[in-house]
Amino acid sequence: MSKTFTYPALRSTRENFKCPNCSQALTLNADSHPKTYSCTNQHSFDVAREGYLNLLLAQHKRSRNPGDSDDMIRSRQRFLGAGYYRPLSDAIVNQVANSAAGFNQALIDLGCGEGHYMQELRNGSSKASADLKLLGIDISKFAVRLAAKRKMDARLVVDSAFNIPLFENRIDTAISVFSPISSAETARILKPNGTLIMVGPGEQHLSGLTELIYDKTVPHAGNPLDSAAQFTLQESIEIKGDISVKGSDILDLLTMTPYYWHSRPEQQEMLTKRENLETPIHFYLKIYQNVSP
């Protein structure tokens, strides 16, 4: 059964989040301030009511509400919850389950969004009665709040995946689903020989949707690493299929993607009136090993 993560005061500072101001370990004073984390330099951060930490400093924001819009996040939550991407979530869960450590490891979702894939991983680890230490980070506070409401026993933080508030060699596996990351920063937090699972769209992904929006479609370029110097590619897994999207789920599919911003009002109206949309889904899971010293 899932539960809310309570952010215990951990014995090892390497297990704690880092202060975004000074990089010292954030610890909890359970007696005097049971919901406030602070460092030795007295920088403090309160745990939100839903149970997450917001470590994104105002000076590090590029906009008032960075990350995907609230509408995109809600649409993604509904669409993914309807099961259209089940082959992808199953592939991610199976990849972790069949690794050397199985679910008995520390795993972080970089750009976790509203927590759909984390929830699937937690469900898998619960069925296996395994000790999966689950962490999630996203720059959108709204997305992290929704993820926290899932109460899936995960440590969740609002911050950038390009400045991960963890100490070195902390994580066994990092995953990124359609989310850009920093190779150097990801390698830093991964343990030696740790695993990175990069998920990106295949060339034909959602072509049934894009052909209704663009006069000429361009194949997807995937979700590439910004640098491969820290990693070696171990395996590439291709997932292909077809889905039939029904009713209001069609607009959710459009809204959760960048295609929404490229579609004209009349195209959006046309999609709201459709009863069904047939489209391929196409993904690549690229499995990398951390080779950084």
Side-chain angles (χ1 to χ4, degrees):
M1 183 176 180
S2 62
K3 57 183 178 179
T4 303
F5 192 87
T6 55
Y7 282 87
L10 301 168
R11 293 182 180 179
S12 170
T13 57
R14 298 185 65 80
E15 299 294 313
N16 293 47
F17 285 121
K18 292 196 305 182
C19 174
N21 288 294
C22 64
S23 295
Q24 297 300 305
L26 291 172
T27 57
L28 179 72
N29 188 331
D31 294 328
S32 60
H33 298 91
K35 292 188 176 182
T36 300
Y37 278 78
S38 60
C39 67
T40 55
N41 291 319
Q42 303 305 308
H43 301 125
S44 61
F45 302 87
D46 293 335
V47 178
R49 179 179 58 187
E50 295 85 353
Y52 65 89
L53 278 176
N54 187 350
L55 300 182
L56 183 62
L57 301 178
Q59 60 266 33
H60 294 165
K61 294 182 179 181
R62 295 186 178 182
S63 64
R64 183 175 180 181
N65 294 304
D68 291 339
S69 71
D70 294 0
D71 285 343
M72 290 181 75
I73 294 164
R74 286 196 183 279
S75 292
R76 187 173 297 122
Q77 183 180 51
R78 289 190 295 264
F79 186 86
L80 295 177
Y84 291 106
Y85 283 7
R86 171 61 61 184
L88 174 58
S89 58
D90 285 348
I92 293 171
V93 171
N94 289 336
Q95 186 65 37
V96 174
N98 295 325
S99 65
F103 288 115
N104 294 302
Q105 59 171 295
L107 182 148
I108 189 169
D109 187 346
L110 302 170
C112 67
E114 42 71 51
H116 174 79
Y117 298 103
M118 295 179 70
Q119 182 72 72
E120 294 299 309
L121 287 161
R122 174 57 70 208
N123 293 346
S125 69
S126 296
K127 290 178 182 177
S129 300
D131 181 24
L132 178 64
K133 297 177 176 65
L134 194 56
L135 300 92
I137 183 173
D138 201 286
I139 202 168
S140 165
K141 183 170 70 172
F142 180 72
V144 173
R145 182 183 296 127
L146 289 181
K149 288 181 178 180
R150 291 178 179 269
K151 300 185 184 302
M152 54 187 166
D153 190 16
R155 303 181 74 204
L156 295 163
V157 62
V158 180
D159 210 339
S160 170
F162 287 78
N163 185 34
I164 304 170
L166 293 174
F167 289 94
E168 293 77 7
N169 305 331
R170 168 72 179 89
I171 299 295
D172 297 291
T173 298
I175 67 172
S176 168
V177 184
F178 286 71
S179 181
I181 64 170
S182 163
S183 297
E185 186 69 350
T186 303
R188 181 186 66 80
I189 65 160
L190 279 173
K191 296 176 182 178
N193 300 317
T195 300
L196 168 63
I197 303 174
M198 290 287 287
V199 181
E203 295 83 1
Q204 300 304 313
H205 186 55
L206 298 182
S207 57
L209 174 65
T210 58
E211 67 186 15
L212 298 175
I213 298 172
Y214 301 104
D215 294 330
K216 182 180 180 180
T217 59
V218 178
H220 288 287
N223 184 19
L225 288 173
D226 55 354
S227 169
Q230 297 88 358
F231 294 95
T232 57
L233 180 64
Q234 302 292 302
E235 186 179 7
S236 182
I237 301 169
E238 186 177 21
I239 301 169
K240 297 180 75 173
D242 295 287
I243 58 174
S244 179
V245 187
K246 308 292 185 182
S248 61
D249 295 340
I250 299 172
L251 185 59
D252 276 337
L253 174 59
L254 175 66
T255 306
M256 78 181 211
T257 69
Y259 306 134
Y260 179 83
W261 306 110
H262 297 279
S263 61
R264 300 188 300 273
E266 59 269 24
Q267 292 173 325
Q268 296 171 19
E269 183 178 2
M270 174 269 295
L271 287 169
T272 62
K273 294 179 179 179
R274 290 183 71 104
E275 295 182 357
N276 186 66
L277 173 67
E278 304 285 340
T279 184
I281 54 173
H282 189 190
F283 311 99
Y284 286 107
L285 273 71
K286 294 192 175 181
I287 317 302
Y288 295 91
Q289 184 178 51
N290 180 23
V291 294
S292 298

